[in-house]
Amino acid sequence: MQSVIIPNETQMLSFAAELARSLTKGSVVFLYGDLGAGKTTLVRGILQHFGHQGAVKSPTYTLVEPYKLSKQKMYHFDLYRLGDPEELEYMGGRDYFDSDAICLVEWPEKAIGFLPKPNISVFISYHANGRKITVVQ
Ligand code: ADP
Ligand code: MG
């Protein structure tokens, strides 16, 4: 387990790109942290590494946003508004995770028991000098 302090958004995107290098087809990443911690920022950095350009909108109401990038299909989940973990089942959650897409999941704690085991878990917390990130593989 390793923790680092990341001082700003630019460094956050660089950190995400570095993290993205360890992801392969079918990888599942859980992103933990309070609102505004920087989960979506990390997702943006990861998507950019795989060739996505432009903004990343939080799929707060749709729960999932697909990205068909040239070499890699990716799904970005934001489960903050998931009322009941079973909803994930109704929306066909299994199909997303059984594919060879990379799945990036914000608020995985909202769907305990309905998600596969992650390859990497990232914990982000507020810190006087930016954010503290702990990566658990
Ligand atoms: P979340 O998805 O966790 O709710 P967002 O990524 O949407 O958080 O928002 C994080 C906010 O914090 C953004 O305004 C971003 O600019 C800022 N931010 C991201 N990383 C850092 C950092 N390492 N230090 C300071 N501010 C950051
Ligand atoms: Mg977010």
Side-chain angles (χ1 to χ4, degrees), residues 92-107:
R94 214 177 287 267
D95 296 340
Y96 295 104
F97 292 100
D98 285 348
S99 72
D100 63 2
I102 291 174
C103 291
L104 310 170
V105 188
E106 297 186 42
W107 297 100

Side-chain angles (χ1 to χ4, degrees), residues 35-36 38-41 58 60 76 78 106-107:
L35 282 173
K39 301 179 295 299
T40 302
T41 305
S58 285
T60 309
H76 172 204
D78 181 343
E106 297 186 42
W107 297 100

Side-chain angles (χ1 to χ4, degrees), residues 11-26:
Q11 300 266 329
M12 202 76 158
L13 293 170
S14 309
F15 180 88
E18 193 63 36
L19 187 74
R21 291 173 57 191
S22 67
L23 303 179
T24 52
K25 287 193 184 305

